[in-house]
Amino acid sequence: QDAFTSHFEAKLVMDVVELLSRLNLRVFVMPFSANGKPLQVQGFLGAFERTAEKQAKRLRALAEFQVPMVGIDPAMTLTYRQEYVKALGAEQVPEVLMLQEWLATRINTLAPRQLTLTDPGFKLLSHCTEKTNAPGSPKAWQQVFAAFGLQLELANSGCCGMSGTYGHETRNVETSKTI
């Protein structure tokens, strides 16, 4: 779980669990524990490192069970690959995949054989952090959609101007809107 999705988009978490369950996948939801991304964004690097050490220890304990670890929010999930690795070292951080990356590795076992879906046309507005730090991830979504006989158009977009908590702060509203 990540703070953003669990607290602001809780229904999305439940929808993902339901979807994966309907695809005959057994889902375990890790209890919420902060990963420290907001601390890192705000420059509280000491507090971030302490939080990262605790969270990485939890993730390593789960990794021993060889259950894939998957995150929903790209920016929060990518924290494990970048900020955690920089702060703790690669050997201290187990792999946590973004949802689309993990689904793309399971394409051959996911799509029900007798499924007919009406394709209304879908568009994906990827997170800017996701596009720059994991450039193949939008294509992974296209692969997943294609496995179900659906088309996914990648919308061309730039930065949203929010940059973590930056765009949510009153003093940065105008700059964020300009971006």
Side-chain angles (χ1 to χ4, degrees), residues 108-161:
N108 294 335
T109 60
L110 284 180
R113 303 287 176 235
Q114 303 297 324
L115 184 66
T116 304
L117 298 171
T118 303
D119 188 351
F122 295 94
K123 292 184 180 189
L124 176 65
L125 179 63
S126 296
H127 195 293
C128 54
T129 299
E130 175 184 13
K131 289 190 302 190
T132 57
N133 296 327
S137 65
K139 295 269 187 222
W141 275 125
Q142 283 183 311
Q143 293 170 338
V144 171
F145 273 64
F148 289 90
L150 303 171
Q151 296 242 337
L152 178 65
E153 179 185 338
L154 302 179
N156 192 10
S157 63
C159 177
C160 65

Side-chain angles (χ1 to χ4, degrees), residues 40-53:
Q40 191 273 336
V41 168
Q42 292 291 323
F44 300 113
L45 301 184
F48 169 72
E49 285 188 21
R50 289 187 297 278
T51 301
E53 285 173 7

Side-chain angles (χ1 to χ4, degrees), residues 15-67:
D15 289 345
V16 168
V17 170
E18 181 179 347
L19 170 67
L20 296 176
S21 296
R22 287 182 183 215
L23 293 172
N24 294 318
L25 297 166
R26 191 166 179 198
V27 179
F28 300 96
V29 179
M30 182 177 170
F32 175 76
S33 180
N35 81 351
K37 175 77 174 180
L39 293 170
Q40 191 273 336
V41 168
Q42 292 291 323
F44 300 113
L45 301 184
F48 169 72
E49 285 188 21
R50 289 187 297 278
T51 301
E53 285 173 7
K54 289 178 192 173
Q55 181 71 340
K57 183 178 178 181
R58 288 182 192 100
L59 295 174
R60 286 193 305 274
L62 287 173
E64 291 181 23
F65 293 97
Q66 298 179 358
V67 174

